[in-house]
Structures are given as structure tokens and as C-alpha cells.
Amino acid sequence: MPEATITGKADILTRFRSVRAQTEQICATLTPEDTVMQPMVDVSPPKWHLGHTTWFFETFVLVPHWPGYKAFHSQYAFLFNSYYNSMGSRVARSDRGTLSRPPLEDIYAYRRHVNEHMEKALGSPEITGNPSLAPILELGLQHEQQHQELLVCDIKYILSCNPLLPAYQAKPAPVLSTFSGKQPQNEWCQVPEGMYTIGYQGKDFCFDNEYQPHQVFIAGFSARRKLVTNQEFLEFMKAGGYLDFRFWLDEGWQLAQQQDWQAPLYWVNQDGEWWHFTLHGLEKIDLNAPVTHISFYEAHAYANWSGHRLLTEFEWEALAQCYANVPANGNFLESGQYQPVPENAENTEIIPQLLGNTWEWTYSGYFPYPGFVTAPGAIGEYNGKFMINQMVLRGGSCATPQSHIRTTYRNFFHPDKRWQFTGIRLAKK
Amino acid sequence: MPEATITGKADILTRFRSVRAQTEQICATLTPEDTVMQPMVDVSPPKWHLGHTTWFFETFVLVPHWPGYKAFHSQYAFLFNSYYNSMGSRVARSDRGTLSRPPLEDIYAYRRHVNEHMEKALGSPEITGNPSLAPILELGLQHEQQHQELLVCDIKYILSCNPLLPAYQAKPAPVLSTFSGKQPQNEWCQVPEGMYTIGYQGKDFCFDNEYQPHQVFIAGFSARRKLVTNQEFLEFMKAGGYLDFRFWLDEGWQLAQQQDWQAPLYWVNQDGEWWHFTLHGLEKIDLNAPVTHISFYEAHAYANWSGHRLLTEFEWEALAQCYANVPANGNFLESGQYQPVPENAENTEIIPQLLGNTWEWTYSGYFPYPGFVTAPGAIGEYNGKFMINQMVLRGGSCATPQSHIRTTYRNFFHPDKRWQFTGIRLAKK
Amino acid sequence: MPEATITGKADILTRFRSVRAQTEQICATLTPEDTVMQPMVDVSPPKWHLGHTTWFFETFVLVPHWPGYKAFHSQYAFLFNSYYNSMGSRVARSDRGTLSRPPLEDIYAYRRHVNEHMEKALGSPEITGNPSLAPILELGLQHEQQHQELLVCDIKYILSCNPLLPAYQAKPAPVLSTFSGKQPQNEWCQVPEGMYTIGYQGKDFCFDNEYQPHQVFIAGFSARRKLVTNQEFLEFMKAGGYLDFRFWLDEGWQLAQQQDWQAPLYWVNQDGEWWHFTLHGLEKIDLNAPVTHISFYEAHAYANWSGHRLLTEFEWEALAQCYANVPANGNFLESGQYQPVPENAENTEIIPQLLGNTWEWTYSGYFPYPGFVTAPGAIGEYNGKFMINQMVLRGGSCATPQSHIRTTYRNFFHPDKRWQFTGIRLAKK
Amino acid sequence: MPEATITGKADILTRFRSVRAQTEQICATLTPEDTVMQPMVDVSPPKWHLGHTTWFFETFVLVPHWPGYKAFHSQYAFLFNSYYNSMGSRVARSDRGTLSRPPLEDIYAYRRHVNEHMEKALGSPEITGNPSLAPILELGLQHEQQHQELLVCDIKYILSCNPLLPAYQAKPAPVLSTFSGKQPQNEWCQVPEGMYTIGYQGKDFCFDNEYQPHQVFIAGFSARRKLVTNQEFLEFMKAGGYLDFRFWLDEGWQLAQQQDWQAPLYWVNQDGEWWHFTLHGLEKIDLNAPVTHISFYEAHAYANWSGHRLLTEFEWEALAQCYANVPANGNFLESGQYQPVPENAENTEIIPQLLGNTWEWTYSGYFPYPGFVTAPGAIGEYNGKFMINQMVLRGGSCATPQSHIRTTYRNFFHPDKRWQFTGIRLAKK
């Protein structure tokens, strides 16, 4: 994997401060009680996210590399290790919701403690001048950004379980997505047959799972310019899509029956109209916005029903390469919308909305690229060991920090998961 | 059931204030996060206890009987109903731990709101002069006292799940139990054969399950004066009591194997010595204190191993009748010990320690007394519908309010439960 | 417990032959595949019953007491031990359905082998003249009779799971129950207040759980002469009895909701009419026959709904004592009906139908009588270790061998069980 | 998908007879009780396999296409439908083990009935001359061959659950695998970089999942000529491979811990030596035979530990293309070995043992090839709906009929499955 480019002390320090502050800003409106909830095993309590992202810097930077640093608390390594077997025993994932202590204020003290030491360290040439540390510093920031997206999704799930349906924050002024210009000539973007180089080829940071770049032959195909909208998905629902096994993968069908799926997660029907729970409380469905909070199974069933199909992750990356002017100014975490938004009606360019709004399920399993190697030690547990039973998603969402995403980025979830901002892009031929 | 004796406005109002304040005092040292924990389904979050006991007065007194009273919040009836089918739908018991909202401060505002209205009502002849209301007011107080005991046990369980093993409060000055005098002549108390009247015969409050008084013929037997101590229970453990099926009921044996029971709940062995988690943190076992946090299965196995047996609930009540001077000044909630304590070494009377310290498992199922009838309406759901699959316990514990207990009081739990302060008294022939 | 009276070689040998043959007769119409089914954990495969009852004689009589006897197969002790921890490890109860081998013919060879040796032994004074063996021989016969009843119930459950709903045997000629005479003057039988001796006082065999006889004071009450009929139970169903929580114990109500109980086990509604699966295939409900295949919860709910109650086991036994001429010629296993049958319409005596047709749920937990002691060794595991969480049933059923039942007999099942022939008798005051 | 080539009446009829007889031959040594066992949900009772394969011909050939044909039994369609939602309701997969009836002899009568009609039909030009029927006839045969392999694996699992460890049949004379010649120059087979056509391109039968052929670019790599042997796998075990998380995928590691995996399925350690249950009873491990009965997780962990990796399914097919003279005369079902066998020691050719012995786990998810379409109707449920959460296996095994396998054949199982004959081939660079 390429080494991260950290061009100077000012840069990494500025980014460190910015990322750390962003995490706390996301948690600003939560009550202490909100921060300990774990209503399902996939969700981690916000307090745990706050501690775990701090533990990462303490464990991989300060303790081994900053002379004289003393761990904030002897048991936090046990409390806030996520899944690194290399780093010793830890609280079972399903028990994170039992951690009423340390109280929230202690976690913020922990953050301040680690931040102060990190800021000193990031001002020291011993740290910033150490080339072997650059990747770990960068990884710490990227890691915290990943947890920012998880925080948004977990908070949404936590609040949705509460019968009071509390709003996380007031609804912000609406924004429209970013494309503009004349009417697009058609809704499908062509990608020609050919050999494509897949994987990260730049010089900045990427995760090990984007590496190494390799040749993939791709037959020509077309991809829908836009994500599938709520209106389109409602047509699937009205046509009985949730009731017709023919469109479904068998395991998806069984799950949908067991759990009585009739609509995306968070949707409720009140007197014949569809509403959904959002971070701004219960709202009417916006028909023009992209559909989200659907599993791979629902994405696949929709694609089948519509007579099209999902893209593979390689096709998705080729699509991005073919439309090289893909703008990155979509609807990300920074917009404060916390919801996919409709496309600007005036957008007429034939450019796919690739980044932001919702992650796009691909029909590709999450497996290693040729030549993939895991790093030695705990960092090697970052990605490789999860390469089974999960599907790749591409493109980032309205909960992804803008500086975190790129077109080679591979996200991954099990095909039944619905609590992330996940959506559908269609392909044909 | 006899009607409660409420002798005047001052009395019920004073008691109302005292009971309500006691509940909040129990919760005073908790963090907001502590108050939402539900680490197992038997445990309710302290916040829920605080709300539910308030809901009881709002629902059964203020709403139906106090003109102009407006419910504090339209959804609290849904949030804080426990199990009254008559009172409509409610949060599933297993989901009480998802209630991060309303925040703790709202619950205290709810308590203040209901307290203010209740205090006005308890100053009004319309309420205190209404004979049909007296039982419900009394029941509200008794009900809240029951939840005080549950709160202590639930808080202990919640804190015990935390890897930091936090203390609920600092250890208070030790108290000794209350008996004194010359050396007892023997350790067994005789109860002669005869017909005994079982059940409550007084004129004050009792629960419907203590009613109606009836004749039971009891063969002569002896009961141990003292509860089984930790030292005695350790002898059972050292003798392999947890490993020998012959002493166990079959379902208890299977459970003990599955859950790998090797000692009472909360006990941990560190370097060959036994410690236990208490509300004052981890402490060494006090060998002279009564053993507690054991299931009926363990109590029964211990009794078998020792060559004795448990009492029936009728024998227990006969024992209390035979030693009519049973003092009620044992180790109760008010002592602030939150732990069973050793008997005063100078106690030499032949009087059984019947009340306080630990509940005593009896080998009697929790079934209705002859002539038992349930009240009409929601109050009728209080006791009768639980009369299956549970065993009766007698005598109160160190978490029971002193004014709440009496010798006819019937507590009941499933035989596998261990998180209450439960212990053992032995009988023989 | 009293020693069994075995008056001579002929008697025990004749009975041995008769009991052993009865078991095989019950299994005569089964296919080999039927004999290995275990569709729920409570059911044991018929092949296992055939082997286990044989293992009992081999293990407790032949191996220890018959010189030169060689076990039929070295592993059968592992395969056919039921729950005797004293007798070593065994196939887990839930895995009995995996025993396709030994094939059925081997089990019959095993039976023949043990029978031959037992017949020789029962012809030998060493065996029949050994007073310590008499109880174990008697226990072996009684034990096999218990398994005969289980076999009938298990076979019914096994066949009921098959979509083909196969009949176990053709419907026999109907029999009417056995009472006759003039019209009864009333439907309730009085039992006067008084002290009753409960437990077995005879000189023949009884189980250890019927021992020892002891005094119980019983207040006066009345019991219904007849069991509750299907017609009566249908009235409860039509009145919404399964839908109204007020009549139910809470755990029963929750179970009934989870499992969607709407009628007794084996009942199906076809085009508005109730049918039930019987050992003769699917049949219309006989309105005059006693209702059966109901749990304790349903019995209790019915009693509540009807304004009456269930008897305690002590009341039941007092009832039997008051009507000392209780005939034992009810509808038992030997009738070949395998179904409760209506009472003879001409019966007019005020005598309760106490024995046969259906077991009667009592509102008494299955606990030891005063002075109960378990025998040393494996036989001591027979009854005592099950004395928790079960309710006592009295009176025997249409699947009970006639020579096996008596009025002091205590049967016991968990309150949710429905696959036995269980029914309802009502009491009042 | 290409239409099957059925060149004449004799051919299809001969093959029909042969395939149908083969299935019965596999079941010849089973007791009736063996044929109803379902000790885990993945296993189907042999009787069910016998019925289901027959139902396939009845349902898809005789009922719709053979005039005057009358279904053998009106309920068999319900009993023997596997997973075809298009064909109506059916016995739940997990309940197949409850089917004691119809008895085994009825199933054989069912087979004879369908065989007789099919033989007539296969002699009729209306059937054999109908081009639309050819694929379905061929599919029926291929389908039954698939169930032959499942039968062997299911029977092995069924017998392995029995404490008697019965042998399915006596051990046959050993055979050696089929290669011979001079000593191979090296153990790795080179595959050059290039574009390969993946998928079936022939004119005979293939499954829809092998279709359509498409171009895949593959970087150069090497594959081990031989499968990993028991000796090699034992080295992994001895080196602590089952105890070191670093080699494992995370979900595999968790499963291995939960289920305490320490060796392949069926292995048992007796006094320090490894044995395994085979269809010939318990045997010592043959160190030179290929390891089998391992999950994908174990295959992947072994590959990691050895410093190599698994092939993708595309690499596997390219390997087969590069060694075009791959012989198909490996160790298949017809050998009667029912176990992988060691390679002929004299084999010295550089030819990979691709077919037979064990299926080879690939690190490729089971997903559709480009242009994959499902057939309309029930046949469309054959493969496509299972294309999630499963891994592709290649090459056939000792339980695969020889005429059933080819190098484009894609088998698929969840990565945790171990009861099939699954093994490991390694790749590098």
C-alpha cells in the first residue's frame, strides 16, 4: 500500500484537530443515556466510538512512540479495543451496551488527554519526521472518519428504537445536489468493453484492500446515471415486489418473510401514506430522493424486478474512470443533511452521481485483490480478516466525510444489513 | 383482603413523602448512563423504576380521582406500564433498556409533577376521606417499596457487569445484627405439631396473596436458629457440592452445568481466595455473614448435602408464630449496609433471625391460599397471575424497607434466580 | 416405601410376561421408521422405549443378581439409560432421535434375550426368594407400564406430525364408560372439612413419592362429578377464552400468544367445524367426551372462566376417600379406545369418575411429602430429583394400564405440556 | 444454456435406467430407520432423496407431458418438493426428518411406478422427439446425480452420529489414483498470464450457472499439482494452526472457537493417534490421502499458514485449460472407495489431479457470470436464487458420479460446511 503523503507538521496537526472535533460535534446533541445504547449487536454505543477512536491513537502512536506517555487509564485498553486479537482481550462486541461507566465526562477527559499529547507529538520532528509513523497517523485519521459514519448510522438506529421518536437535530435548510447544466440526453451512461486497471494508483492514502492495482477485463455495459429514487422503489412495493419470491435470492426471501419486510428500514405507513424516521424525526417520504436503508437483498430484488441488474464493483470503478470529471461535491456528512437529497432539477449533464447520498450495493463479494497482503501485527487485522460473506459497496453516502471517500474505496457489509445509508444503481447489458 | 388503615392526612402524607424520597435517595449516586442499563431481562433500568412507581400514582389515583389532573406526558403510560394488560399496550419488558429518552432529568420532573399533585390530593378530604381510595393509596406506597428492593438488586447487577467493578457507594460503618444476651442453649428452634392459622389476620395492609387466613396442620419439626453462613456454604463447595448430582434437583443440576456454577453469584476466586462483588466494590468474603445470591437449586442442594431440608412456607410462618417476640429490627434497607451481616456474637437467645439479612427460600410453590380472589380490574393483575412456576421466599432482606415486611409476607421468584438477596434456613424432622 | 407383595413365582412371572407382551403389542402396527422419530424433545422414539424398559431389567436385575449373565451388547447401557446419572454417561435426551441403529429387529432380539433370562430368573428361588429384590422386580414392571402410557402418547404425537395423518389403528367398537344406574341427584360431590391422611397406606407397591402418609387438614368443598366435556370447552372457546388475558396465568398467556393456541392440541378447524387427530386418524370432535390434550394453563383458564377452580392434589385424594366405592373399571389402556369416551348416559350415581379417561390437573406443585426420602443409588433418582416446576395430575387416563393406577398415584408434568391425555375436573368453595 | 444432446432413444433410456439404479444401489445397505434420519438441517433423509428425485420426473415430465399419467399419490408433491416456490407449498426443510410415513417400501413402489411410465415415455417419439423436453430430461438425470453425491455425504453424517459408529459397507480393495509415469520435475504447475474464456463452450449439457462463456483476464500464477494431504494438514494442526487467529478469517475464527474445532470433521484422537469415521467405520488416518471434510475457513487458514493461497475459480478453470489432457479417470463415486485415496506413487507427470477425490474450495463467491439469465418457471429456481453467501468449489470428489463432472462445473457451499468431501489446492503468485 502506498505511504500516506504527510507534507508537513501544520497539515497533519490541522487535520488531526479537525477530525477529532468533527467526532465530538456529531455527538453534541446526545444525552449521556443516548451514548450507552446498543439496541442491536451491529450498533456500538456512541460513548464507545468516542473512546475507541481515542484508544487507537493512544495504542498505536502514543504508547509505543511518545516517550514518557502514560496511559490515561489502565483498563481502557480492555474497554475500547474493537477486534484486534493482537492487542489482547476485550469487552465482547455484544456487551458494549453494558458500559454505563466510565461516565461520558470521563470519556471526554480521555479525549482531551490524548489530544493534548497528540498535539505535542504532532509538533515534534521525532514523530512527524519518522517515515514509518506517517501511515499509522494517517490511518488513525481515516479510522476516526469511518467511525464518524458509523456514529451517524448508529445514532439514527438508537433513536429510532425509542417510542418517543426523538429528533437528533432540527431539520437543516434543504440543499440540492450539485450537478447543473442542460437536460441530459439520456439516463444511461455507456462504458466500453476493455481492460481496466482496478485499485488505487495514486500517491496518497488508501486502505490495504484497494491494493494492489490490477487488470480486469470488462465487457461493455451501461449504468443508470441516477440512483433509484423513493418513487421508483414505491412502484416496486406497489407491484408486490416484497411478496413475489421470483425476484429474490433465496436467503433474502426467507429473511424478508421471517422479519416481515414490507418497505425499507425506518419506513412506516400511517393511514396509507409512507413516512420514515430520520435524524430530524418522522417525515414524509421525499419521492425524488434516492431510496436508502435497504439490504443487498432488496437492492437485488428491485434490480431483478426492473429488468436490470446491479453493477459489479469492477464495473463501478470503470464507470468512474470513464467519467473522469466526476465531481466530489455531492451530499456528504459535511452538508449536515444526514439524508439523501434529490438531484438538482436543472442538472442535465450525462455524469453519474457517483459519490455521496447513498452507498451503492454491488454484486461483488468482498475478497482480496490479487497480490493483497496483510500488514504484520495488529494493523494487519484491519481489513483482510473480514473478507468473507460480505458484499462490496461503492461511492460513499450522506454520512461519509467528503475527504474520506474516493472512487477506489471499498466499503463492505453483510447482505442483510439495512442500517447504513445504502442504495441502488442499475446496470444493463 | 383487609382494608388499609390510614388514620389521617398527616400520616399518609408523611409516609408518601418518606417513601418517595427514599426511592430517589437510592438512585442518588448513579450516573445518567447507569439508569438506562438492562444487562439481563430480569433487571429493569433504574430510570424505568423511577418512572413506573410514579406512573402508578398517576394512573390509579390522579387520573381517575383528582379532578382537572392532566397527565404529565401523553406517552408515559406506554413507557412505564409494567405488566398490566388492563392498562393497554406497553414497552416490552426486554426492551426497557432501549429507553435513552426521556432523559433522567425529565423523569425527575415527572416525579416532582406527580408528587406536587399527590401532596395536594393527600391534603384533600375528597381523597383521604374516600374509603375506596385508601387501599389504592396504601398499595401505591407498598408497591414503591417493593421497587426499592428491586432497585438495590438491579443496581448491584448492573454495576457488576461493568469491567471497572465500580462501587455504588463507600462502605458504611459495620453494624452487627440486633440480638444480644446470653449464649443460646441450642441452635435449633422447636415447633410443635398442631393446627396453625396461616395468612394475615391483622387490620393493617397486606397483599392479596396473604389472604385469606386458613388452617394448616403441621407436624412437629425444628428449624435452625441462624441462616447458613458463608463459611458453612464454603464447606459445601469444598466438599464438591457443585460437582455432585446426587444433591441436586435435575433441572437445577442441568442449569448449574450449562452455566458452570461453582459458587454463589458475584463470587470470584482470586489466587485461591474467594471475593465477591458488593455495592461497595469487590470485597473478601465475610465468613460469618449469611450466604446470599443463591438460587433455590443451590439452597436445596446445600440442605440435602447437610442432611437437612428447607422449610415449607407454612412451617416458616408457624416458626414465626412460636417465637412471637420476633424482633423486626434486623438488617434492612435502612441500615445502609446493602449486604447481609454477621450476627452479634453476644446474642445468646434462642430466637430465630427471621427478618432481614436474606430472603429464605422455602420448598413451597407460590400458589393461592384457599379462598383467594383477585380484585376486579388492573389491581387484580398484581399477584394472582404469577402463581405458577415460582417458589415462596420469606423474611425480607437487607434490601427490604423495614416497614414493608411482616411474617406473613410472601415473596416469590423462579427457582433459578440469584440476583436477589436470597439465603438458606435449614429444618429437620 | 412399603415392599411390594410378590406372592409367588407364578404371579410375578405371569405378570412379567403380560407386561412385556403389552409393550410389544402397543408397537405392533408401527413401521421401523416410526420407531425412531423424535419430533420434539419430550417425545422418545418407540424403539428407545422398547430398549430402555429392557435395559432396566438387565441393569438392575440380571447384571447384578443373575450369575453368569452377559450383557446383550456392550453399548446398550449407553444407548438406553434414560436419566440415571448413577449409571454413567448416556445419549442426550434430545439426541434419541438419531439412533437409526441398532435396527428394530435387534431391539426385539434384545427383548427376547432379556426375557428368556428373566423368565429363568423368575423361576429361581435365588431371585424370587430374595426379599431385597422384590421391590426392584415390581419397580421394573411398574416402570414398563409407565412407558406404555408414554408410548401411546408419543406415538400419537409422532403420527400427528406427518402430513399424511396416518391412523395408528382402525377405530375400535365404541365403549361407554362404566357407571350405570339411576339419574344422579346432583352434579357436585361434597367433601366435608376435616383431617385426611394423604399418601399410600396399603401393603402393595407404591412409588416413593406417595410416601409417607401424613395428615392434611382440608376445608370442606365440592367437586364436579364429571370431567369437563368437549362441549363445555367449546363454550369457553366460543366465549373468547383463548383471547382474554384475565382468565390466564401470565406465563400461560404469554405462551398461548407465542404459539397461537386457539384450541386443545390436535384440534383443527375445517370449514367451521372442529376435528381432532386421534390414533384412528382425523375425527370429528365428540361433544360428550371429556376434553383432553390441554395444558395446565388451559385447565386453569377454563376453571377461572367457569367461575370455579381446580382441586389441589390433597382435595382430590380426599374426594376419592369420601367416595370409597370408586370403581376402577374406567376407560384405561386395555379398552383399546386410546381416546376419552363419553359417560354412559344411564349412569345416575353420585360417584365421581375418578380413574381413567384423562389425567386431571391439580393446582398443586409436585413436591415431596413430609418425611420423603430418596433411596440410595440409582433407584433414588426415580422421582425425587424431578420435584420442581411440575404440577401434580391424578387419576390416570385412557392410556394408563388399569393395574397401574390407584387413588394415591401422583403423576407430574410441566404446566405447558399438552401431549399427554390431560383434562379438567372442577371444584368450588 | 446449450441444449442437451440426446442422440437417440436408446441412449437416454439407457442412461435413465443406469442413473436411477445407481441411486438405489447407494441406499441398498441402509435400514429403513437410517432412511428417515435428519441429524442436522443440511442433511436430508435418504428416503426423502429417493422420493424427491422421483418427484422431479413425475412433476416436470410425466404430469405435464405424458397424456393420461396419474400422480402416484396426491400428497407426494407436498412431501417431496425441495425448494421450488413455483411448485407450491411443501414440508419445511428442517422437518424432513419427521416423515416416518410413507414407509420405505412405498417410496420404492413410487420409484417403480414412475420408472415404468418414464420408460414408456422415453420409448415414445412424442417425448424424445420433443426438442423442448430434451433439456428437462437431461436436467432430471443430472439432478439425480447431484443427489447421489448428497446421499453419500448425508449417509456418512447420519451414521457418524450413531454411538455404534456403524459401517455403511465393508472396506473395498484399495485403489490407487490413476496417474502414472516418470517422476514429476516439479510440484507446481505454471499458468501463464492472459485472457481466458471461462464457462461452458461445449454442445452437451451444462448447468445454467456455467453459462455464458466470457473473457477473464488472469495474471500468471502457479498451482500445486497435488491436493494437500492429511500429513501436511497434520503439520498445520501440530503447529497450532487451529489456535492462532492470525491465519483465520474472523468469522471462521469465531466459529472454530464456538464449536471447538481442532481437526477436520469426523476426526477423533484416540490415545494420541488420529482416526476418522469413514463409510467403512472408524479408521486410522491415511497420511498420504488428501485431507477432506474441512470448511472453507480451514482451507483458507491452512493456505495462509503455508504461505500460499487458494485459487480463484477462474484460475482453477485456466489451470484446467492449460493442462488440456486432464484425465477424467480419477477417484469418483463409481470406484466404490467413498474416500479420497493417495496418488499412485509412480505418477511423475506434471499434471494436476483436478477431478475426483475432493472438491477444491476456491476463494471465489458464487455469483452469476455476465449475461446469466434464469429460465422462466420452476426450473429457473435451480441455481440463480442461491447466488449469495456461498463459495465456489471445483473438480468433483470421490462421491461425484464420473459422468456428472467437467472442468467448468461450479459447485457451491457456505464457507462453514464440512460434511461434503472438500479439500485444498494451493496457489502462489
Side-chain angles (χ1 to χ4, degrees), chain B residues 325-341:
Chain B
N325 52 346
V326 170
N329 54 346
N331 175 25
F332 298 111
L333 177 66
E334 291 80 357
S335 78
Q337 295 292 314
Y338 297 118
Q339 239 349 75
V341 295

Side-chain angles (χ1 to χ4, degrees), chain C residues 265-320:
Chain C
L265 182 64
Y266 298 130
W267 287 37
V268 286
N269 196 306
Q270 294 192 341
D271 303 324
E273 269 198 297
W274 286 104
W275 296 62
H276 62 156
F277 180 75
T278 74
L279 284 162
H280 323 302
L282 203 63
E283 292 188 347
K284 263 199 195 169
I285 297 295
D286 181 340
L287 294 175
N288 296 315
V291 68
T292 192
H293 294 304
I294 53 164
S295 64
F296 173 83
Y297 296 122
E298 289 157 295
H300 178 269
Y302 177 85
N304 259 2
W305 170 82
S306 74
H308 302 115
R309 62 175 178 85
L310 302 178
L311 287 75
T312 67
E313 67 163 323
F314 308 112
E315 289 174 336
W316 196 97
E317 202 164 319
L319 173 66

Side-chain angles (χ1 to χ4, degrees), chain C residues 29 31-37 39 47 73 75 78-79 91 97-104 158-159 161-164 166, chain D residues 29 31-37 39 47 73 75 78-79 91 97-104 159 161-164 166:
Chain C
T29 65
T31 66
E33 296 101 308
D34 292 335
T35 70
V36 290
M37 295 283 113
K47 196 159 73 174
H73 190 291
Q75 286 191 269
F78 177 76
L79 298 181
V91 172
T98 65
L99 297 178
S100 65
R101 312 284 179 100
L104 184 55
I158 287 167
L159 296 178
C161 293
N162 195 302
L164 303 176
Chain D
T29 63
T31 66
E33 297 101 307
D34 292 335
T35 71
V36 291
M37 294 284 114
K47 196 158 76 173
H73 190 293
Q75 286 191 270
F78 177 76
L79 298 181
V91 172
T98 65
L99 298 178
S100 65
R101 313 283 180 98
L104 184 56
L159 296 179
C161 293
N162 195 302
L164 304 177

Side-chain angles (χ1 to χ4, degrees), chain C residues 317-335:
Chain C
E317 202 164 319
L319 173 66
Q321 290 178 24
C322 289
Y323 295 81
N325 52 346
V326 170
N329 54 346
N331 176 24
F332 298 111
L333 176 66
E334 290 80 358
S335 79

Side-chain angles (χ1 to χ4, degrees), chain A residues 384-385 387-388, chain D residues 247-253 296-297 300 363:
Chain A
K385 74 180 184 182
M387 290 181 173
I388 193 71
Chain D
F247 306 124
W248 291 73
L249 291 164
D250 194 55
E251 295 187 15
W253 176 248
F296 173 82
Y297 296 123
H300 178 268
Y363 205 158

Side-chain angles (χ1 to χ4, degrees), chain D residues 153-273:
Chain D
C153 295
D154 290 358
I155 291 168
K156 183 168 182 177
Y157 193 87
I158 287 166
L159 296 179
S160 79
C161 293
N162 195 302
L164 304 177
L165 296 180
Y168 163 71
Q169 62 174 34
K171 194 172 176 61
V175 300
L176 292 174
S177 266
T178 57
F179 306 101
S180 64
K182 60 182 183 322
Q183 189 65 18
Q185 295 179 304
N186 66 59
E187 282 293 304
W188 293 90
C189 305
Q190 303 282 336
V191 176
E193 173 180 308
M195 196 77 84
Y196 290 82
T197 302
I198 300 299
Y200 188 72
Q201 300 179 78
K203 296 201 176 308
D204 290 331
F205 173 84
C206 78
F207 284 110
D208 56 357
N209 62 20
E210 297 166 62
Y211 206 69
Q212 55 197 38
H214 60 289
Q215 300 293 101
V216 174
F217 175 77
I218 292 172
F221 72 100
S222 297
R224 268 281 295 274
R225 194 176 63 78
K226 293 171 61 176
L227 298 171
V228 170
T229 64
N230 286 323
Q231 170 143 24
E232 290 169 316
F233 199 81
L234 263 168
E235 283 160 23
F236 165 74
M237 288 164 58
K238 287 178 188 161
Y242 275 99
L243 306 171
D244 192 334
F245 67 85
R246 291 175 303 160
F247 306 124
W248 291 73
L249 291 164
D250 194 55
E251 295 187 15
W253 176 248
Q254 291 178 40
L255 187 68
Q257 301 305 297
Q258 279 165 25
Q259 305 197 351
D260 196 22
W261 287 355
Q262 303 186 5
L265 182 63
Y266 299 130
W267 287 37
V268 286
N269 195 306
Q270 295 192 339
D271 302 324
E273 268 198 298

